[in-house]
Amino acid sequence: MLARVLILLVILAVAESCIQHTDCESCTRVSTRVRFKIISCRWCPFKSTCHTEGTTYHGCGDYEVALTSQCVNATQLVIRYDSQVAEQLAKWSSLAYLNPIYYDLKSIQSAVMTQFNGRYKVVEFLLVDCEWQVLKNKRTCAAVIAKSLTENIIIIAFKGSFPPTEINGPHEIISYTDLKTFQPTGGKIMEYSKKTHDILFPCVKATLQRLLTSQPTAAVLITGHSDGGAQAQLAGARLRAEERVSNAKLHIYTFGSPRVGDADFAYSYNRLVGNSWRVTRREDFTPLTVSKDNYPFFHHTRREIYYHYSGVMKPSSDYEICKSNWEESGCIEWQGRLSAKSSTRNSNQYFVPDLQRYMKGMVVKGLNHLHGYMNMDCRVMPIGRSID
C-alpha cells in the first residue's frame, strides 16, 4: 500500500513539474523513472502547455510533441515581432487594395517612394478574376510585389476580400462552405481560399523566382489584410513546403486574418513557418471567422499579436503576444462574439485610419491596360518595368 502511495506521489510530482514548463524544448527534456516505467512530459503546440505523458484531459489529441528534436524552435531560429515592420507592412497591405487599372502608374510609384522614404519600388501588380466571389463588384483577387532599393528585401502583399454578405446561388454557397485539402501542408481549408490561392500563387511564384535570381539572399516579407492574410499564410506555407525560401528569410505579418484551416493545417503551418505573426485588434470580428460554431475543428495558426486598443495603434502601442491557437485571456478569441458594427468600425484600423483606403488616398486617377502573364490566368501591371 505504501509503495502505491509513493508511486502516486512521484507521478503527481512529475505532473507538477511538467505544468511549470512554458516552452517545448524544456518540457520534452523532463522525464522521471517510476519503478520500471519512464514518465515523461509532453508538449501541446496548440495550447502552448506542458502535460504528463498518458494524461487524457490536455485536449491536444494526436498533436502532442514527445521529443525535443520535434520542437519547432529546435533549429534556434530567431523569432521576433517588430512593430515598426508591422506598420510598414500594413501600408503594403493597403496598397494591395488599389486596382492599378484605374490609377496613374507614376502616381502609384511616387506614393510608394514617399510612404517608404524612397527605399522601395513596386515591381508588379498581379490580378485575377475570381468569379466565385460573392460581391459582384469585388471579384478581383490581387497581389502586389515590390523590392527594396536599399536593402535586400522583397515584399509580397495580398489584397483582402469582403465578407460574404450576399449569396447569389447554390454554387457560391458551396464555395464558401466546402472544404478542400491543401496539399503543401495537408489538412483542410475553405474552398474559396484554395481557389484564390491556386489561380494567383503561380504568378506570384514566377515573379518571386525572377527576383530571387538577382537577389538570392533576399528576405521575403509576405503580408495581407482580412482574407489577404489568409492568402499570405497559404503562400508562405507553400514556399516553405517547396523549399523556395528558407525559414530564416521568410517573415509573414497578417492583419485581421480569419481562421485558414483545420488542426492538421495549423499544426503543419506552425512547424513550417517560424516568423509568422497574426496581428489582431480589439473589436475586430474578422479573426473570429471562420466561425467556431460552424467549424469547431478550424484553428488559428499560432503567434497572435493582440492590440487591446480602441483607436489606431502605433508602433509604440502596447500589445500582447499570444502564443497558442486556443482561447486565452487577452487574445482576440477571448472576446467572444462582437456586433457587426464593432467589426465595421475597427476591422480596418491597423496602424492607419482606414487600411482599405489609405494608399488610395495618395494617388491620382488614371486608366491603364493589363497584360497577360506567361500563359497563366493572372493579368499583370508591370509598374517597375514600365516606369524608370
Side-chain angles (χ1 to χ4, degrees), residues 81 83 307 309 311-320 351:
Y81 173 72
S83 59
Y307 286 86
Y309 194 67
V312 179
M313 75 274 282
K314 301 176 181 178
S316 59
S317 300
D318 292 335
Y319 58 82
E320 182 173 352
F351 293 100

Side-chain angles (χ1 to χ4, degrees), residues 232-268:
Q233 291 174 75
L234 293 176
R238 188 163 173 183
L239 289 172
R240 286 288 302 120
E242 296 178 358
E243 298 183 343
R244 299 185 183 279
V245 181
S246 71
N247 209 0
K249 294 294 184 180
L250 182 64
H251 303 263
I252 299 175
Y253 284 66
T254 67
F255 304 94
S257 171
R259 297 183 182 97
V260 181
D262 63 10
D264 286 340
F265 168 82
Y267 178 75
S268 296

